[in-house]
Amino acid sequence: MNKKMKLLISSICVVATVSLISGCGGPKTTENQNKQTQATGELSVSFLANPDKSNTGDPVTFQANVKQGGNGVTNAKVEFEVWKGTSTDHKQYPAKHISNGDYTASDSFKEAGAYNVVVHVYTDKDHKMAEGTFQVGDQKAEGHSHQHGDQKDRLHIMLPDSLEKGKSFSLMGHVMDAKGKPLTGANVKFEIWKEGDKKHQFIDVSEGKAGEYTKDYSFAESGKYHVQLHVEKPSIKLHEHVEKTVSVK
């Protein structure tokens, strides 16, 4: 084989190799760009109860749609916080992702009345809340916010489903304004006392993510406890509190 032929074959091999590398690398670049596009933009959450009016004992499905930059978010952690009227007994429902940013959970309710729902959405970089209501039976609605004056800010105590004495957990309070956006820069503390005990413990907490106030805590003894969340923000004349009762094993 002469030198010209060897040179021609070498050139063809180089071109083929470059084309092969470009072909393998191209889609990965596009995929990374798409992931970056999906991760940008404001996180939006919408809620729907289906049906929004049901009979006692009939199932109700909670539906949340989570989007970011116009795209459905498929890897968020979503929970529905549900309670009846002015009750301090709030129940958490972990949601299951169905498709394209749609998350659902369901339950049936034996007591008639107006029920309140707060959707908690967590992603790697954000925390968003939305709220809604649904009706069971014919009982008239009860107000669900504890307010002073015209304030309509929302306070939520977030605790693990199971609490054990001596076991550390994250004591967490979520605070949002009337538009469903996290309320930042507030003075927040928890007040905790055991049932029948006159001694109350006050715990200052710090703000991590916007509107999320946390502190590691553990109960020294088993029993029934009252946990009260206090929130103050003098600049908007806000002074609110909510209370929750928990059992510690």
Side-chain angles (χ1 to χ4, degrees):
M1 185 179 293
N2 58 39
K3 292 183 177 180
K4 290 184 177 180
M5 183 61 69
K6 289 182 178 180
L7 181 60
L8 178 61
I9 293 174
S10 298
S11 299
I12 293 172
C13 289
V14 170
V15 172
T17 302
V18 171
S19 299
L20 182 61
I21 293 173
S22 298
C24 293
K28 290 183 180 179
T29 303
T30 303
E31 184 180 348
N32 289 336
Q33 289 174 345
N34 288 339
K35 287 182 178 179
Q36 290 174 0
T37 300
Q38 291 177 0
T40 60
E42 184 178 355
L43 192 68
S44 64
V45 182
S46 60
F47 169 75
L48 175 68
N50 185 24
D52 59 356
K53 293 182 180 180
S54 70
N55 296 320
T56 55
D58 288 351
V60 179
T61 299
F62 314 127
Q63 303 174 350
N65 181 258
V66 184
K67 290 184 177 181
Q68 191 167 32
N71 299 306
V73 178
T74 60
N75 61 347
K77 177 184 176 183
V78 178
E79 293 181 341
F80 298 98
E81 180 184 1
V82 182
W83 71 100
K84 177 178 177 287
T86 56
S87 173
T88 59
D89 184 14
H90 294 207
K91 186 173 181 179
Q92 305 291 332
Y93 294 88
K96 181 180 179 180
H97 180 253
I98 304 302
S99 65
N100 197 32
D102 290 327
Y103 295 79
T104 67
S106 62
D107 199 0
S108 58
F109 300 86
K110 296 180 180 180
E111 295 185 12
Y115 286 77
N116 311 294
V117 182
V118 171
V119 186
H120 297 272
V121 178
Y122 305 88
T123 64
D124 290 340
K125 297 182 179 180
D126 206 353
H127 165 227
K128 187 79 172 180
M129 292 181 283
E131 61 180 351
T133 60
F134 63 94
Q135 179 74 30
V136 175
D138 298 325
Q139 185 173 321
K140 294 183 180 180
E142 301 175 66
H144 74 276
S145 62
H146 183 95
Q147 302 176 12
H148 294 270
D150 296 325
Q151 297 295 344
K152 297 181 180 180
D153 303 275
R154 304 292 185 261
L155 287 62
H156 305 278
I157 299 171
M158 306 298 294
L159 299 173
D161 293 333
S162 178
L163 295 168
E164 298 179 17
K165 68 174 182 178
K167 187 175 181 180
S168 180
F169 66 95
S170 180
L171 187 62
M172 185 181 298
H174 289 154
V175 186
M176 63 182 182
D177 62 21
K179 295 181 180 180
K181 294 183 178 180
L183 183 68
T184 60
N187 299 320
V188 179
K189 66 176 61 178
F190 280 95
E191 180 183 1
I192 299 176
W193 68 98
K194 191 175 182 181
E195 182 90 342
D197 195 342
K198 294 182 179 180
K199 183 179 179 180
H200 291 209
Q201 183 180 11
F202 290 88
I203 303 166
D204 292 320
V205 293
S206 57
E207 184 176 8
K209 295 181 180 180
E212 188 174 290
Y213 301 82
T214 63
K215 179 77 172 182
D216 288 340
Y217 184 78
S218 63
F219 290 97
E221 301 176 351
S222 59
K224 187 176 181 180
Y225 286 83
H226 295 268
V227 179
Q228 194 168 90
L229 175 65
H230 296 267
V231 179
E232 294 184 6
K233 193 168 184 180
S235 61
I236 58 173
K237 298 180 180 180
L238 170 66
H239 182 191
E240 295 268 0
H241 65 268
V242 291
E243 185 179 319
K244 190 171 188 176
T245 303
V246 297
S247 294
V248 179
K249 298 179 181 179

